[in-house]
C-alpha cells in the first residue's frame, strides 16, 4: 500500500513539474537553460517573478535573461563592485528578453568602464535588450562611466542597444574621459522609450552624445533630459538625442551644451541631427544653452560642416526630417577665439542650423555666431511653414526661413496662423509665448 502511494506521489510531482514548465514557457518569460535560482521567492514567470533584494541576485539576471524579475528593495552596488566595473548583461545573440520591474526602487552605484582594448564594445547595464524585453519603474542613481576607449565603443547607463520597451525609468549619470558614442539612458534605441528621465553630467569628450540616447531609430514618447554636456574637442550632440531616424513626441530637453576646439559636427539643444532616411519630431521643446567655440583653423574638405541650432543642429543625407509643433528658447552661440575658416560651411540658427522641414515651430532664444538666422542658419536650405522667431530676443531679422516677429507679437495667438490652439497649443495672451498643452 505504501509503495503504491509513493508511486502516485511521484507521478503527481512529475505532473506538477511539467505543468509549471508549460506555464513558464507560455507566459512570455522563459527559462533559457537549467537554472538554479539564488532568489528567495518566485518562479520567474509573469505571474510569479523572481524577487530581487540584493546585488548578488541582481547580477544573477545574466544567468537567465528570459525570465521575469521584480525588485523588492533598493540596491547599492558600491560594495558589491568594490574597485571593479559592472560586466554588461547579454549581447545581441543572447540578449535580455525578459521583464525587469524596478517596482519604484533605486539601484545606486553602477560603475561602467570603457578601455582602449575594447574595440566595438557595448558598455551598459544591459548590453542589448530583445524585442520582447520590458524594463520599467527603475531609478539608476549615481551611475558613473569612465572612458579611455579608442575603438568604436557605444556606452549608456541602462541599455547599449534597446529593441524592447523601456518605460518609467530614471537615470542620474556622470561620465568622464573619452568614449566614442554615448547615450544617457540608451545607446541606440530601436524599440520604445516612454516616460523616462535622464540627468546627465558629461565631461571631456565623446565623438557623439545624446542626453537620453545617442541614436533613435524607434519611438520616444513623453521623455525628459536635463543636465550638462561639455566637450573639449569636436563632437556632435543633442540634449535629447544626437541622431534621430525614428519618431519623438511630447518630450523636452533642458541641457546646457558647451564645446571648445570644435571644427565640425551637428549640435542642437534637442537633437544633433535628423539622419539620412528622415526623422520625425512632434510636440516637443528645448531650453538651456548651446555654446560652441572654434579655437583652431577649419580646413575644407577635412572639416566640412558645422551646424548649430537651438532645437536641432542639422541633417545628414539631404533635406530630410520633419519637425512639427515644437519650439525652443535655447540661447545659441558660435564664436571663434583662434584660427580661421578655410572654406568650411558654418551656420547658426535659433531653431535649426539648417536642413529640416519645419511646420508650426518657433524660436525665442538669443542667437550669436557665424552665418546666423533667427529660425534657420543663413544660406541653409530648409522647408519652413507657419514658423516664427522673436526678432528682439534672437537679435536677428532675416526673412525667407521663418518670419520675424516682435516679442509682443509672439505673445498674441493671432500671430500663429493655422496653429491648433484647441488641442495642441495654449497661450496666455499678452503674457507668454505659445506652449504645449501637455506641459
Amino acid at each position: 500500500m505504501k509503495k503504491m502511494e509513493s508511486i502516485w506521489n511521484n507521478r503527481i510531482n512529475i505532473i506538477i513539474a511539467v505543468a509549471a514548465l508549460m506555464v513558464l514557457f507560455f507566459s512570455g518569460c522563459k527559462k533559457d537553460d537549467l537554472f538554479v535560482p539564488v532568489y528567495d521567492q518566485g518562479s520567474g514567470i509573469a505571474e510569479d517573478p523572481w524577487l530581487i533584494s540584493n546585488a548578488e541576485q541582481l547580477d544573477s539576471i545574466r544567468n537567465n535573461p528570459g525570465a521575469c524579475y521584480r525588485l523588492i528593495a533598493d540596491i547599492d552596488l558600491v560594495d558589491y563592485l568594490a574597485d571593479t566595473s559592472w560586466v554588461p548583461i547579454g549581447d545581441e545573440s543572447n540578449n535580455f528578453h525578459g521583464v525587469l520591474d524596478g517596482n519604484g526602487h533605486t539601484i545606486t552605484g553602477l560603475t561602467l568602464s570603457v578601455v582602449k582594448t575594447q574595440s566595438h564594445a557595448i558598455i551598459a547595464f544591459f548590453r542589448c535588450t530583445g524585442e520582447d524585453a520590458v524594463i520599467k519603474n527603475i531609478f539608476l542613481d549615481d551611475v558613473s562611466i569612465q572612458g579611455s576607449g579608442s575603438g568604436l565603443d557605444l556606452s549608456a547607463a541602462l541599455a547599449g542597444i534597446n529593441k524592447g520597451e523601456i518605460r518609467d525609468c530614471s537615470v542620474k549619470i556622470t561620465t568622464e574621459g573619452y568614449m566614442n558614442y554615448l547615450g544617457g539612458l540608451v545607446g541606440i534605441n530601436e524599440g520604445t522609450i516612454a516616460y523616462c528621465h535622464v540627468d546627465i553630467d558629461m565631461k571631456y569628450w565623446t565623438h557623439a552624445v545624446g542626453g537620453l540616447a545617442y541614436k533613435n531609430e524607434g519611438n520616444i514618447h513623453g521623455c525628459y533630459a536635463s543636465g550638462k554636456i561639455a566637450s573639449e574637442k569636436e563632437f556632435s550632440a543633442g540634449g535629447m538625442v544626437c541622431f534621430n531616424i525614428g519618431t519623438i513626441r511630447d518630450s523636452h530637453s533642458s541641457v546646457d551644451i558647451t564645446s571648445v576646439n570644435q571644427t565640425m559636427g551637428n549640435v542642437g539643444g534637442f537633437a544633433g541631427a535628423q539622419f539620412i532616411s528622415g526623422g520625425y519630431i512632434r510636440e516637443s521643446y528645448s531650453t538651456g544653452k548651446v555654446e560652441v567655440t572654434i579655437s583652431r583653423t577649419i580646413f575644407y574638405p577635412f572639416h566640412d560642416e558645422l551646424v548649430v541650432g537651438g532645437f536641432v543642429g542639422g541633417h545628414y543625407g539631404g533635406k530630410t526630417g520633419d519637425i512639427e509643433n515644437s519650439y525652443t528658447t535655447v540661447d545659441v552661440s558660435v564664436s571663434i577665439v583662434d584660427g580661421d575658416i578655410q572654406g568650411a560651411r558654418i551656420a547658426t540658427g535659433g531653431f535649426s542650423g539648417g536642413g529640416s522641414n519645419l511646420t508650426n515651430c518657433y524660436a525665442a532664444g538669443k542667437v550669436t555666431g557665424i552665418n546666423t538666422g533667427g529660425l534657420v542658419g543663413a544660406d541653409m536650405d530648409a522647408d519652413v511653414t507657419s514658423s516664427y522667431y522673436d526678432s528682439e530676443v534672437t537679435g536677428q531679422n532675416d526673412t525667407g526661413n521663418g518670419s520675424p516677429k516682435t516679442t509682443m507679437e509672439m505673445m498674441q495667438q493671432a500671430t500663429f496662423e493655422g496653429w491648433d490652439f484647441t488641442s495642441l497649443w495654449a497661450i496666455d495672451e499678452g503674457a507668454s509665448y505659445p506652449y504645449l498643452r501637455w506641459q
Side-chain angles (χ1 to χ4, degrees):
M1 186 67 180
K2 289 183 177 179
K3 184 176 181 180
M4 183 64 69
E5 183 177 350
S6 176
I7 292 172
W8 277 107
N9 287 338
N10 289 336
R11 288 178 177 176
I12 291 171
N13 289 335
I14 291 171
I15 292 170
I16 291 172
V18 171
L21 288 173
M22 291 178 68
V23 170
L24 182 65
F25 183 81
F26 290 108
S27 68
C29 297
K30 305 178 179 64
K31 289 197 174 189
D32 296 313
D33 48 28
L34 293 175
F35 172 60
V36 180
V38 297
Y39 311 102
D40 295 330
Q41 299 180 56
S43 55
I45 62 175
E47 298 79 6
D48 187 29
W50 300 122
L51 301 184
I52 295 175
S53 62
N54 59 55
E56 180 184 4
Q57 293 171 346
L58 183 68
D59 199 4
S60 294
I61 290 175
R62 70 182 69 250
N63 297 323
N64 189 4
C68 294
Y69 303 88
R70 180 186 298 149
L71 269 60
I72 58 172
D74 295 341
I75 297 174
D76 192 337
L77 293 174
V78 174
D79 291 338
Y80 183 74
L81 294 176
D83 295 328
T84 63
S85 298
W86 180 263
V87 177
I89 295 174
D91 53 42
E92 290 195 74
S93 62
N94 184 32
N95 55 44
F96 178 77
H97 50 282
V99 176
L100 176 59
D101 182 1
N103 199 26
H105 288 289
T106 299
I107 298 172
T108 303
L110 175 65
T111 300
L112 300 160
S113 296
V114 182
V115 299
K116 289 183 178 180
T117 57
Q118 294 175 304
S119 179
H120 294 82
I122 300 176
I123 308 298
F125 184 89
F126 291 108
R127 186 173 281 112
C128 183
T129 61
E131 294 180 358
D132 296 328
V134 177
I135 303 169
K136 58 184 180 180
N137 305 321
I138 296 175
F139 176 33
L140 294 178
D141 190 19
D142 194 23
V143 178
S144 174
I145 303 181
Q146 300 296 319
S148 59
S150 58
L152 297 176
D153 52 85
L154 174 67
S155 305
L158 186 57
I161 300 175
N162 173 54
K163 299 182 179 181
E165 179 183 0
I166 299 174
R167 66 176 187 265
D168 298 303
C169 294
S170 296
V171 168
K172 186 174 182 180
I173 178 173
T174 300
T175 75
E176 190 166 4
Y178 169 61
M179 286 151 281
N180 216 336
Y181 306 112
L182 172 68
L185 181 76
V186 168
I188 298 174
N189 177 49
E190 299 176 8
T192 298
I193 304 175
Y195 307 109
C196 292
H197 171 234
V198 172
D199 185 13
I200 187 170
D201 184 0
M202 191 215 86
K203 301 174 183 176
Y204 188 55
W205 185 46
T206 60
H207 181 71
V209 56
L212 186 85
Y214 151 63
K215 183 191 293 184
N216 176 48
E217 300 179 7
N219 293 285
I220 295 174
H221 177 77
C223 291
Y224 169 42
S226 60
K228 297 179 291 184
I229 294 174
S231 178
E232 296 181 11
K233 294 185 179 181
E234 71 274 6
F235 74 153
S236 291
M240 179 64 63
V241 299
C242 187
F243 298 121
N244 181 47
I245 309 174
T247 298
I248 306 176
R249 300 182 67 101
D250 300 346
S251 298
H252 73 288
S253 61
S254 182
V255 179
D256 291 341
I257 302 174
T258 58
S259 171
V260 298
N261 297 316
Q262 189 80 23
T263 57
M264 59 185 295
N266 297 265
V267 184
F270 188 90
Q274 305 276 38
F275 197 79
I276 301 177
S277 57
Y280 301 91
I281 302 175
R282 306 282 192 271
E283 292 87 57
S284 297
Y285 70 94
S286 61
T287 63
K289 69 177 182 179
V290 173
E291 295 180 354
V292 173
T293 301
I294 299 168
S295 57
R296 57 187 173 128
T297 299
I298 301 177
F299 295 99
Y300 177 84
F302 303 104
H303 307 112
D304 182 14
E305 182 176 272
L306 172 60
V307 285
V308 182
F311 191 88
V312 61
H315 62 286
Y316 279 132
K319 187 170 57 181
T320 60
D322 294 331
I323 303 175
E324 297 180 358
N325 296 301
S326 299
Y327 74 89
T328 180
T329 61
V330 170
D331 292 333
V332 185
S333 171
V334 176
S335 61
I336 299 177
V337 297
D338 194 10
D340 195 6
I341 301 169
Q342 301 290 335
R345 185 166 64 164
I346 299 178
T348 312
F351 190 95
S352 171
S356 295
N357 305 326
L358 309 180
T359 302
N360 300 349
C361 297
Y362 77 83
K366 185 177 181 180
V367 180
T368 57
I370 303 166
N371 296 328
T372 58
L375 194 75
V376 180
D379 301 322
M380 299 297 285
D381 193 18
D383 286 338
V384 177
T385 304
S386 297
S387 296
Y388 310 88
Y389 67 91
D390 187 324
S391 60
E392 297 178 61
V393 173
T394 62
Q396 307 298 314
N397 199 35
D398 57 294
T399 58
N401 280 331
S403 301
K405 301 293 180 180
T406 67
T407 300
M408 185 54 66
E409 288 174 323
M410 291 287 290
M411 295 182 179
Q412 295 172 352
Q413 181 175 323
T415 297
F416 302 91
E417 297 180 10
W419 288 31
D420 181 356
F421 281 92
T422 301
S423 58
L424 295 181
W425 292 96
I427 192 170
D428 300 328
E429 192 73 15
S432 77
Y433 296 118
Y435 54 91
L436 295 162
R437 288 190 174 272
W438 64 259
Q439 291 181 228

